[in-house]
Amino acid sequence: ARNPDAVLVFKPHPDVVAGLRHGAIPAHEAAELADHVTMSPNIVPLIGAADRIETISSLAGFEALLRDKAVTCHGVPFYAGWGLTEDLVAMPRRTRRRTLDELVAIAFTRYTRHVHPYWRRECTCLELIHGLVRQRSDARHHARNALLGRAAWACERLGL
């Protein structure tokens, strides 16, 4: 009703698809209201194709902000209420306005904890980034992931 001419693509939250929690929108209702329902795990192409993201509380809204897309929040995710999104739920405690750079810095340095991919201990955001860059170029890491992927596939096929 808010965007009558829009093509609506609905993507359930990955936790809902995996059966880890119940979604706010039943599957039959999403199928009736949306032009397309996707279960694709990768939301980045959808964000790229969209003019606007409407979300309840998904991290997809934050991903969209990082890609300079308009975001409407129907819930209260951490990135709502700072003047970066259109918010349909009142958040009287959030009175300051933040830039996207401020929100990213706060989210990644003050409110999240990181585990270094090599050290396996808590680290700073910058240490994590350096570790991930190193991991990306590490052939042993890619070989290990390929082996683990094949082992998981085999276990699934064998019903283990």
Side-chain angles (χ1 to χ4, degrees):
R2 290 171 29 84
N3 300 290
D5 296 328
V7 173
L8 301 176
V9 178
F10 178 79
K11 181 181 180 313
H13 193 281
D15 286 351
V16 173
V17 174
L20 300 174
R21 66 177 170 171
H22 296 288
I25 301 171
H28 71 277
E29 197 173 318
E32 289 174 11
L33 297 172
D35 296 299
H36 182 69
V37 176
T38 182
M39 301 296 182
S40 172
N42 188 359
I43 194 152
V44 174
L46 293 174
I47 292 171
D51 294 323
R52 164 178 288 293
I53 301 297
E54 302 239 359
T55 183
I56 297 171
S57 63
S58 172
L59 196 55
F62 187 60
E63 293 277 348
L65 287 174
L66 294 174
R67 289 165 174 79
D68 201 28
K69 297 290 181 164
V71 176
T72 298
C73 295
H74 296 258
V76 187
F78 76 91
Y79 51 85
W82 305 110
L84 300 171
T85 55
E86 177 187 10
D87 303 310
L88 303 181
V89 175
M91 289 170 264
R93 290 184 2 188
R94 295 184 186 172
T95 57
R96 285 190 72 177
R97 294 295 169 244
R98 297 281 185 188
T99 67
L100 183 58
D101 287 345
E102 288 174 322
L103 182 64
V104 168
I106 291 167
F108 288 122
T109 62
R110 303 197 76 195
Y111 295 104
T112 54
R113 297 171 71 186
H114 312 285
V115 176
H116 197 279
Y118 288 100
W119 306 335
R120 301 285 192 251
R121 65 173 171 79
E122 194 169 328
C123 65
T124 68
C125 182
L126 288 178
E127 289 169 331
L128 173 64
I129 290 168
H130 290 298
L132 292 172
V133 167
R134 178 178 160 204
Q135 194 175 59
R136 180 181 281 174
S137 62
D138 185 348
R140 292 174 302 165
H141 169 74
H142 294 291
R144 179 178 172 267
N145 276 355
L147 181 62
L148 288 174
R150 286 189 176 87
W153 176 84
C155 287
E156 186 177 307
R157 298 281 293 183
L158 294 171
L160 301 175

